[in-house]
Amino acid sequence: MRQLFTSLFIFLSLISLAGNGDTEREHPNSQKLATDIYMAYQFYKDKDIEACKSVMENLNLKTVKSVIHKVSKSTAVDSLVFENNQDMFWAYLKSVDLNYLRDIEAVFAIRVEDAYGLLMAFSELLKADLKEIMTETTNEIHYKNSQGGYVIDTRFRTPSKSYISNLYDYKLILLDEYVIFEFKETVPEIFEPGQKPSKHQPLAEN
């Protein structure tokens, strides 16, 4: 989570430096923009990096970083950074892939005239995708699933399992004329819903 907040801090710093007194640039309508951002994230989640880039580039963002680092035979780290300083639109996506699960962190930050409209349009997409809403205020909407369970590690001859408390944690934030989407998600190959283990059954928790 620290990396997510670090990336958000970088975005906000860029926003502060980019401010030049101009009015907000014209973007696609809120529904289309929300759909395109969510589509780009879904492509990234599905490991379709080129499709993710294509959607973002159609939104006039430039790919400024695209790296895949193979740490070991079973571990890879990748990151994508997009920017359009003129339109004040930035995106950062990163994942750690262990084969049996993939941890994803992503931040999208954009300045738009109808910031509240974009926030609500994106929230409706998450509701339609059956995401669980936790809290909602005027300036922030928080989605987080309440069902924990076990991730199955099949990398070795004898499979093992670890407990995680949730699969996704999405925050939609309204900051004046800016909208910030923060995503943290675990994508397992095999997931078994279940209760948190007892003290006599120690398992790693997310």
Side-chain angles (χ1 to χ4, degrees):
M1 183 61 76
R2 180 181 300 174
Q3 292 175 332
L4 194 61
F5 286 132
T6 299
S7 63
L8 177 57
F9 175 79
I10 292 172
F11 282 145
L12 294 178
S13 298
L14 286 170
I15 288 169
S16 177
L17 292 172
N20 56 12
D22 291 343
T23 57
E24 295 83 352
R25 301 281 177 174
E26 182 178 354
H27 288 283
N29 65 72
S30 297
Q31 185 62 53
K32 183 180 186 307
L33 182 55
T35 301
D36 287 346
I37 292 173
Y38 195 44
M39 183 186 302
Y41 176 72
Q42 291 297 325
F43 279 136
Y44 183 76
K45 178 179 171 180
D46 293 338
K47 300 184 183 182
D48 194 339
I49 304 299
E50 292 307 313
C52 174
K53 287 182 181 179
S54 178
V55 174
M56 297 301 283
E57 288 168 2
N58 286 338
L59 290 172
N60 297 320
L61 281 94
K62 178 182 178 181
T63 303
V64 296
K65 181 178 180 182
S66 179
V67 176
I68 299 178
H69 179 55
K70 195 74 172 178
V71 178
S72 67
K73 185 177 180 180
S74 61
T75 304
V77 178
D78 70 83
S79 60
L80 286 174
V81 178
F82 302 94
E83 68 175 27
N84 183 331
N85 290 331
Q86 184 179 23
D87 286 358
M88 298 184 183
F89 190 177
W90 302 270
Y92 166 79
L93 304 97
K94 179 181 178 180
S95 77
V96 177
D97 192 343
L98 303 176
N99 284 340
Y100 76 98
L101 69 80
R102 185 165 177 246
D103 283 326
I104 300 173
E105 293 182 354
V107 178
F108 296 81
I110 183 171
R111 183 183 183 187
V112 289
E113 184 174 354
D114 185 16
Y116 182 75
L118 176 58
L119 184 84
M120 297 310 297
F122 203 94
S123 182
E124 289 302 317
L125 288 176
L126 295 182
K127 290 179 182 177
D129 204 17
L130 303 179
K131 302 301 183 185
E132 297 180 50
I133 190 166
M134 296 292 291
T135 59
E136 181 173 3
T137 66
T138 304
N139 297 318
E140 182 174 324
I141 306 174
H142 187 189
Y143 286 83
K144 183 176 181 180
N145 77 304
S146 57
Q147 175 65 65
Y150 296 89
V151 174
I152 311 302
D153 183 351
T154 58
R155 293 176 296 174
F156 307 103
R157 179 174 298 179
T158 302
S160 62
K161 60 182 181 180
S162 300
Y163 181 82
I164 58 173
S165 57
N166 59 79
L167 292 174
Y168 61 83
D169 191 335
Y170 302 156
K171 291 182 180 179
L172 319 181
I173 302 168
L174 183 65
L175 186 62
D176 296 326
E177 67 268 42
Y178 296 97
V179 181
I180 301 167
F181 302 130
E182 296 180 6
F183 304 142
K184 183 177 181 182
E185 187 158 7
T186 297
V187 184
E189 288 292 329
I190 304 174
F191 180 73
E192 297 178 354
Q195 299 297 317
K196 185 176 180 178
S198 67
K199 294 181 180 180
H200 303 291
Q201 187 186 10
L203 290 171
E205 183 174 353
N206 186 30

PDB file of all heavy atoms in Angstrom, residues 172-197:
ATOM      1  N   LEU A 172     -12.329   5.731  -5.131  1.00  0.00           N
ATOM      2  CA  LEU A 172     -12.615   6.767  -6.119  1.00  0.00           C
ATOM      3  C   LEU A 172     -12.648   8.089  -5.364  1.00  0.00           C
ATOM      4  O   LEU A 172     -13.493   8.292  -4.483  1.00  0.00           O
ATOM      5  CB  LEU A 172     -13.957   6.513  -6.811  1.00  0.00           C
ATOM      6  CG  LEU A 172     -14.288   5.056  -7.191  1.00  0.00           C
ATOM      7  CD1 LEU A 172     -15.635   4.991  -7.894  1.00  0.00           C
ATOM      8  CD2 LEU A 172     -13.189   4.446  -8.041  1.00  0.00           C
ATOM      9  N   ILE A 173     -11.740   8.987  -5.693  1.00  0.00           N
ATOM     10  CA  ILE A 173     -11.551  10.199  -4.900  1.00  0.00           C
ATOM     11  C   ILE A 173     -11.791  11.439  -5.736  1.00  0.00           C
ATOM     12  O   ILE A 173     -11.268  11.564  -6.859  1.00  0.00           O
ATOM     13  CB  ILE A 173     -10.123  10.233  -4.313  1.00  0.00           C
ATOM     14  CG1 ILE A 173      -9.873   8.992  -3.456  1.00  0.00           C
ATOM     15  CG2 ILE A 173      -9.892  11.504  -3.492  1.00  0.00           C
ATOM     16  CD1 ILE A 173      -8.424   8.785  -3.077  1.00  0.00           C
ATOM     17  N   LEU A 174     -12.551  12.377  -5.195  1.00  0.00           N
ATOM     18  CA  LEU A 174     -12.806  13.666  -5.828  1.00  0.00           C
ATOM     19  C   LEU A 174     -12.004  14.720  -5.090  1.00  0.00           C
ATOM     20  O   LEU A 174     -12.157  14.898  -3.877  1.00  0.00           O
ATOM     21  CB  LEU A 174     -14.306  13.991  -5.762  1.00  0.00           C
ATOM     22  CG  LEU A 174     -14.772  15.275  -6.440  1.00  0.00           C
ATOM     23  CD1 LEU A 174     -14.562  15.180  -7.953  1.00  0.00           C
ATOM     24  CD2 LEU A 174     -16.244  15.539  -6.121  1.00  0.00           C
ATOM     25  N   LEU A 175     -11.119  15.408  -5.804  1.00  0.00           N
ATOM     26  CA  LEU A 175     -10.268  16.433  -5.204  1.00  0.00           C
ATOM     27  C   LEU A 175     -10.364  17.690  -6.049  1.00  0.00           C
ATOM     28  O   LEU A 175      -9.627  17.865  -7.022  1.00  0.00           O
ATOM     29  CB  LEU A 175      -8.823  15.924  -5.128  1.00  0.00           C
ATOM     30  CG  LEU A 175      -7.811  16.792  -4.396  1.00  0.00           C
ATOM     31  CD1 LEU A 175      -8.202  16.952  -2.922  1.00  0.00           C
ATOM     32  CD2 LEU A 175      -6.422  16.179  -4.495  1.00  0.00           C
ATOM     33  N   ASP A 176     -11.332  18.561  -5.670  1.00  0.00           N
ATOM     34  CA  ASP A 176     -11.625  19.755  -6.469  1.00  0.00           C
ATOM     35  C   ASP A 176     -11.986  19.332  -7.883  1.00  0.00           C
ATOM     36  O   ASP A 176     -12.911  18.578  -8.080  1.00  0.00           O
ATOM     37  CB  ASP A 176     -10.448  20.732  -6.436  1.00  0.00           C
ATOM     38  CG  ASP A 176     -10.191  21.261  -5.038  1.00  0.00           C
ATOM     39  OD1 ASP A 176     -11.169  21.443  -4.283  1.00  0.00           O
ATOM     40  OD2 ASP A 176      -9.016  21.482  -4.681  1.00  0.00           O
ATOM     41  N   GLU A 177     -11.217  19.787  -8.894  1.00  0.00           N
ATOM     42  CA  GLU A 177     -11.544  19.428 -10.279  1.00  0.00           C
ATOM     43  C   GLU A 177     -10.806  18.175 -10.747  1.00  0.00           C
ATOM     44  O   GLU A 177     -10.837  17.835 -11.928  1.00  0.00           O
ATOM     45  CB  GLU A 177     -11.233  20.600 -11.230  1.00  0.00           C
ATOM     46  CG  GLU A 177      -9.756  20.931 -11.355  1.00  0.00           C
ATOM     47  CD  GLU A 177      -9.307  22.001 -10.365  1.00  0.00           C
ATOM     48  OE1 GLU A 177      -9.724  21.957  -9.196  1.00  0.00           O
ATOM     49  OE2 GLU A 177      -8.529  22.873 -10.788  1.00  0.00           O
ATOM     50  N   TYR A 178     -10.159  17.483  -9.819  1.00  0.00           N
ATOM     51  CA  TYR A 178      -9.439  16.256 -10.150  1.00  0.00           C
ATOM     52  C   TYR A 178     -10.210  15.029  -9.662  1.00  0.00           C
ATOM     53  O   TYR A 178     -10.863  15.065  -8.619  1.00  0.00           O
ATOM     54  CB  TYR A 178      -8.048  16.256  -9.510  1.00  0.00           C
ATOM     55  CG  TYR A 178      -7.147  17.350 -10.024  1.00  0.00           C
ATOM     56  CD1 TYR A 178      -7.011  18.541  -9.317  1.00  0.00           C
ATOM     57  CD2 TYR A 178      -6.460  17.199 -11.224  1.00  0.00           C
ATOM     58  CE1 TYR A 178      -6.189  19.550  -9.800  1.00  0.00           C
ATOM     59  CE2 TYR A 178      -5.642  18.201 -11.707  1.00  0.00           C
ATOM     60  CZ  TYR A 178      -5.513  19.387 -10.987  1.00  0.00           C
ATOM     61  OH  TYR A 178      -4.709  20.381 -11.474  1.00  0.00           O
ATOM     62  N   VAL A 179     -10.070  13.947 -10.424  1.00  0.00           N
ATOM     63  CA  VAL A 179     -10.598  12.646 -10.003  1.00  0.00           C
ATOM     64  C   VAL A 179      -9.415  11.682  -9.944  1.00  0.00           C
ATOM     65  O   VAL A 179      -8.595  11.633 -10.870  1.00  0.00           O
ATOM     66  CB  VAL A 179     -11.660  12.113 -10.978  1.00  0.00           C
ATOM     67  CG1 VAL A 179     -12.194  10.770 -10.494  1.00  0.00           C
ATOM     68  CG2 VAL A 179     -12.804  13.107 -11.117  1.00  0.00           C
ATOM     69  N   ILE A 180      -9.320  10.940  -8.853  1.00  0.00           N
ATOM     70  CA  ILE A 180      -8.233   9.988  -8.659  1.00  0.00           C
ATOM     71  C   ILE A 180      -8.839   8.619  -8.377  1.00  0.00           C
ATOM     72  O   ILE A 180      -9.679   8.473  -7.486  1.00  0.00           O
ATOM     73  CB  ILE A 180      -7.314  10.404  -7.496  1.00  0.00           C
ATOM     74  CG1 ILE A 180      -6.715  11.789  -7.775  1.00  0.00           C
ATOM     75  CG2 ILE A 180      -6.204   9.379  -7.293  1.00  0.00           C
ATOM     76  CD1 ILE A 180      -6.062  12.427  -6.574  1.00  0.00           C
ATOM     77  N   PHE A 181      -8.431   7.634  -9.151  1.00  0.00           N
ATOM     78  CA  PHE A 181      -8.855   6.258  -8.942  1.00  0.00           C
ATOM     79  C   PHE A 181      -7.661   5.466  -8.420  1.00  0.00           C
ATOM     80  O   PHE A 181      -6.613   5.415  -9.075  1.00  0.00           O
ATOM     81  CB  PHE A 181      -9.353   5.628 -10.242  1.00  0.00           C
ATOM     82  CG  PHE A 181     -10.499   6.349 -10.890  1.00  0.00           C
ATOM     83  CD1 PHE A 181     -10.463   6.692 -12.230  1.00  0.00           C
ATOM     84  CD2 PHE A 181     -11.622   6.706 -10.150  1.00  0.00           C
ATOM     85  CE1 PHE A 181     -11.524   7.363 -12.836  1.00  0.00           C
ATOM     86  CE2 PHE A 181     -12.688   7.379 -10.738  1.00  0.00           C
ATOM     87  CZ  PHE A 181     -12.634   7.706 -12.089  1.00  0.00           C
ATOM     88  N   GLU A 182      -7.805   4.858  -7.253  1.00  0.00           N
ATOM     89  CA  GLU A 182      -6.765   4.009  -6.663  1.00  0.00           C
ATOM     90  C   GLU A 182      -7.268   2.567  -6.632  1.00  0.00           C
ATOM     91  O   GLU A 182      -8.329   2.304  -6.066  1.00  0.00           O
ATOM     92  CB  GLU A 182      -6.442   4.436  -5.230  1.00  0.00           C
ATOM     93  CG  GLU A 182      -5.856   5.806  -5.076  1.00  0.00           C
ATOM     94  CD  GLU A 182      -5.572   6.126  -3.617  1.00  0.00           C
ATOM     95  OE1 GLU A 182      -5.726   5.224  -2.756  1.00  0.00           O
ATOM     96  OE2 GLU A 182      -5.213   7.268  -3.323  1.00  0.00           O
ATOM     97  N   PHE A 183      -6.504   1.666  -7.205  1.00  0.00           N
ATOM     98  CA  PHE A 183      -6.878   0.262  -7.225  1.00  0.00           C
ATOM     99  C   PHE A 183      -5.783  -0.580  -6.579  1.00  0.00           C
ATOM    100  O   PHE A 183      -4.597  -0.386  -6.842  1.00  0.00           O
ATOM    101  CB  PHE A 183      -7.081  -0.251  -8.660  1.00  0.00           C
ATOM    102  CG  PHE A 183      -8.081   0.518  -9.464  1.00  0.00           C
ATOM    103  CD1 PHE A 183      -7.865   0.754 -10.805  1.00  0.00           C
ATOM    104  CD2 PHE A 183      -9.231   1.006  -8.874  1.00  0.00           C
ATOM    105  CE1 PHE A 183      -8.790   1.460 -11.556  1.00  0.00           C
ATOM    106  CE2 PHE A 183     -10.162   1.717  -9.618  1.00  0.00           C
ATOM    107  CZ  PHE A 183      -9.939   1.942 -10.962  1.00  0.00           C
ATOM    108  N   LYS A 184      -6.204  -1.524  -5.754  1.00  0.00           N
ATOM    109  CA  LYS A 184      -5.305  -2.553  -5.249  1.00  0.00           C
ATOM    110  C   LYS A 184      -6.067  -3.865  -5.362  1.00  0.00           C
ATOM    111  O   LYS A 184      -7.188  -3.982  -4.855  1.00  0.00           O
ATOM    112  CB  LYS A 184      -4.903  -2.282  -3.801  1.00  0.00           C
ATOM    113  CG  LYS A 184      -3.896  -3.294  -3.264  1.00  0.00           C
ATOM    114  CD  LYS A 184      -3.453  -2.979  -1.839  1.00  0.00           C
ATOM    115  CE  LYS A 184      -2.428  -3.994  -1.353  1.00  0.00           C
ATOM    116  NZ  LYS A 184      -2.007  -3.746   0.048  1.00  0.00           N
ATOM    117  N   GLU A 185      -5.465  -4.847  -6.015  1.00  0.00           N
ATOM    118  CA  GLU A 185      -6.206  -6.085  -6.293  1.00  0.00           C
ATOM    119  C   GLU A 185      -5.275  -7.285  -6.326  1.00  0.00           C
ATOM    120  O   GLU A 185      -4.142  -7.199  -6.793  1.00  0.00           O
ATOM    121  CB  GLU A 185      -6.940  -5.945  -7.632  1.00  0.00           C
ATOM    122  CG  GLU A 185      -7.870  -7.080  -7.963  1.00  0.00           C
ATOM    123  CD  GLU A 185      -8.937  -6.699  -8.970  1.00  0.00           C
ATOM    124  OE1 GLU A 185      -8.884  -5.575  -9.519  1.00  0.00           O
ATOM    125  OE2 GLU A 185      -9.845  -7.524  -9.192  1.00  0.00           O
ATOM    126  N   THR A 186      -5.777  -8.398  -5.811  1.00  0.00           N
ATOM    127  CA  THR A 186      -5.079  -9.671  -5.901  1.00  0.00           C
ATOM    128  C   THR A 186      -5.855 -10.580  -6.847  1.00  0.00           C
ATOM    129  O   THR A 186      -7.066 -10.776  -6.666  1.00  0.00           O
ATOM    130  CB  THR A 186      -4.960 -10.344  -4.521  1.00  0.00           C
ATOM    131  OG1 THR A 186      -4.173  -9.512  -3.664  1.00  0.00           O
ATOM    132  CG2 THR A 186      -4.291 -11.704  -4.628  1.00  0.00           C
ATOM    133  N   VAL A 187      -5.169 -11.103  -7.846  1.00  0.00           N
ATOM    134  CA  VAL A 187      -5.805 -11.959  -8.849  1.00  0.00           C
ATOM    135  C   VAL A 187      -5.179 -13.352  -8.741  1.00  0.00           C
ATOM    136  O   VAL A 187      -4.087 -13.598  -9.264  1.00  0.00           O
ATOM    137  CB  VAL A 187      -5.615 -11.398 -10.266  1.00  0.00           C
ATOM    138  CG1 VAL A 187      -6.377 -12.257 -11.277  1.00  0.00           C
ATOM    139  CG2 VAL A 187      -6.072  -9.950 -10.341  1.00  0.00           C
ATOM    140  N   PRO A 188      -5.842 -14.279  -8.037  1.00  0.00           N
ATOM    141  CA  PRO A 188      -5.279 -15.631  -7.880  1.00  0.00           C
ATOM    142  C   PRO A 188      -5.691 -16.552  -9.028  1.00  0.00           C
ATOM    143  O   PRO A 188      -6.740 -16.372  -9.651  1.00  0.00           O
ATOM    144  CB  PRO A 188      -5.904 -16.100  -6.567  1.00  0.00           C
ATOM    145  CG  PRO A 188      -7.223 -15.381  -6.512  1.00  0.00           C
ATOM    146  CD  PRO A 188      -7.044 -14.069  -7.235  1.00  0.00           C
ATOM    147  N   GLU A 189      -4.845 -17.545  -9.287  1.00  0.00           N
ATOM    148  CA  GLU A 189      -5.207 -18.570 -10.265  1.00  0.00           C
ATOM    149  C   GLU A 189      -6.319 -19.448  -9.685  1.00  0.00           C
ATOM    150  O   GLU A 189      -7.262 -19.813 -10.383  1.00  0.00           O
ATOM    151  CB  GLU A 189      -3.985 -19.422 -10.613  1.00  0.00           C
ATOM    152  CG  GLU A 189      -2.945 -18.711 -11.464  1.00  0.00           C
ATOM    153  CD  GLU A 189      -3.436 -18.430 -12.873  1.00  0.00           C
ATOM    154  OE1 GLU A 189      -4.248 -19.226 -13.387  1.00  0.00           O
ATOM    155  OE2 GLU A 189      -3.013 -17.419 -13.453  1.00  0.00           O
ATOM    156  N   ILE A 190      -6.201 -19.797  -8.405  1.00  0.00           N
ATOM    157  CA  ILE A 190      -7.214 -20.612  -7.725  1.00  0.00           C
ATOM    158  C   ILE A 190      -7.561 -19.934  -6.407  1.00  0.00           C
ATOM    159  O   ILE A 190      -6.668 -19.601  -5.617  1.00  0.00           O
ATOM    160  CB  ILE A 190      -6.709 -22.046  -7.447  1.00  0.00           C
ATOM    161  CG1 ILE A 190      -6.259 -22.721  -8.749  1.00  0.00           C
ATOM    162  CG2 ILE A 190      -7.803 -22.882  -6.777  1.00  0.00           C
ATOM    163  CD1 ILE A 190      -5.613 -24.081  -8.522  1.00  0.00           C
ATOM    164  N   PHE A 191      -8.841 -19.735  -6.163  1.00  0.00           N
ATOM    165  CA  PHE A 191      -9.294 -19.074  -4.940  1.00  0.00           C
ATOM    166  C   PHE A 191     -10.451 -19.860  -4.338  1.00  0.00           C
ATOM    167  O   PHE A 191     -11.399 -20.209  -5.038  1.00  0.00           O
ATOM    168  CB  PHE A 191      -9.743 -17.641  -5.233  1.00  0.00           C
ATOM    169  CG  PHE A 191     -10.232 -16.893  -4.025  1.00  0.00           C
ATOM    170  CD1 PHE A 191      -9.341 -16.444  -3.058  1.00  0.00           C
ATOM    171  CD2 PHE A 191     -11.587 -16.643  -3.859  1.00  0.00           C
ATOM    172  CE1 PHE A 191      -9.788 -15.757  -1.940  1.00  0.00           C
ATOM    173  CE2 PHE A 191     -12.040 -15.956  -2.747  1.00  0.00           C
ATOM    174  CZ  PHE A 191     -11.139 -15.514  -1.787  1.00  0.00           C
ATOM    175  N   GLU A 192     -10.348 -20.132  -3.046  1.00  0.00           N
ATOM    176  CA  GLU A 192     -11.411 -20.830  -2.329  1.00  0.00           C
ATOM    177  C   GLU A 192     -11.948 -19.918  -1.230  1.00  0.00           C
ATOM    178  O   GLU A 192     -11.234 -19.654  -0.253  1.00  0.00           O
ATOM    179  CB  GLU A 192     -10.883 -22.122  -1.706  1.00  0.00           C
ATOM    180  CG  GLU A 192     -10.388 -23.147  -2.706  1.00  0.00           C
ATOM    181  CD  GLU A 192      -9.824 -24.388  -2.035  1.00  0.00           C
ATOM    182  OE1 GLU A 192      -9.728 -24.380  -0.774  1.00  0.00           O
ATOM    183  OE2 GLU A 192      -9.493 -25.356  -2.736  1.00  0.00           O
ATOM    184  N   PRO A 193     -13.173 -19.417  -1.368  1.00  0.00           N
ATOM    185  CA  PRO A 193     -13.740 -18.578  -0.296  1.00  0.00           C
ATOM    186  C   PRO A 193     -13.764 -19.338   1.024  1.00  0.00           C
ATOM    187  O   PRO A 193     -13.998 -20.552   1.053  1.00  0.00           O
ATOM    188  CB  PRO A 193     -15.158 -18.291  -0.794  1.00  0.00           C
ATOM    189  CG  PRO A 193     -15.091 -18.479  -2.279  1.00  0.00           C
ATOM    190  CD  PRO A 193     -14.098 -19.584  -2.497  1.00  0.00           C
ATOM    191  N   GLY A 194     -13.493 -18.633   2.114  1.00  0.00           N
ATOM    192  CA  GLY A 194     -13.491 -19.293   3.409  1.00  0.00           C
ATOM    193  C   GLY A 194     -13.303 -18.314   4.543  1.00  0.00           C
ATOM    194  O   GLY A 194     -13.045 -17.129   4.340  1.00  0.00           O
ATOM    195  N   GLN A 195     -13.437 -18.817   5.756  1.00  0.00           N
ATOM    196  CA  GLN A 195     -13.299 -18.000   6.946  1.00  0.00           C
ATOM    197  C   GLN A 195     -11.830 -17.829   7.321  1.00  0.00           C
ATOM    198  O   GLN A 195     -10.980 -18.642   6.961  1.00  0.00           O
ATOM    199  CB  GLN A 195     -14.053 -18.639   8.114  1.00  0.00           C
ATOM    200  CG  GLN A 195     -15.545 -18.784   7.872  1.00  0.00           C
ATOM    201  CD  GLN A 195     -16.228 -17.438   7.709  1.00  0.00           C
ATOM    202  OE1 GLN A 195     -15.947 -16.492   8.453  1.00  0.00           O
ATOM    203  NE2 GLN A 195     -17.122 -17.351   6.732  1.00  0.00           N
ATOM    204  N   LYS A 196     -11.552 -16.786   8.068  1.00  0.00           N
ATOM    205  CA  LYS A 196     -10.202 -16.536   8.552  1.00  0.00           C
ATOM    206  C   LYS A 196      -9.758 -17.688   9.447  1.00  0.00           C
ATOM    207  O   LYS A 196     -10.527 -18.166  10.286  1.00  0.00           O
ATOM    208  CB  LYS A 196     -10.171 -15.221   9.332  1.00  0.00           C
ATOM    209  CG  LYS A 196      -8.790 -14.798   9.793  1.00  0.00           C
ATOM    210  CD  LYS A 196      -8.846 -13.446  10.475  1.00  0.00           C
ATOM    211  CE  LYS A 196      -7.468 -13.002  10.945  1.00  0.00           C
ATOM    212  NZ  LYS A 196      -7.500 -11.662  11.582  1.00  0.00           N
ATOM    213  N   PRO A 197      -8.522 -18.169   9.264  1.00  0.00           N
ATOM    214  CA  PRO A 197      -8.072 -19.320  10.060  1.00  0.00           C
ATOM    215  C   PRO A 197      -7.965 -18.983  11.538  1.00  0.00           C
ATOM    216  O   PRO A 197      -7.765 -17.831  11.927  1.00  0.00           O
ATOM    217  CB  PRO A 197      -6.696 -19.625   9.459  1.00  0.00           C
ATOM    218  CG  PRO A 197      -6.248 -18.329   8.867  1.00  0.00           C
ATOM    219  CD  PRO A 197      -7.503 -17.684   8.346  1.00  0.00           C
TER     220      PRO A 197
END
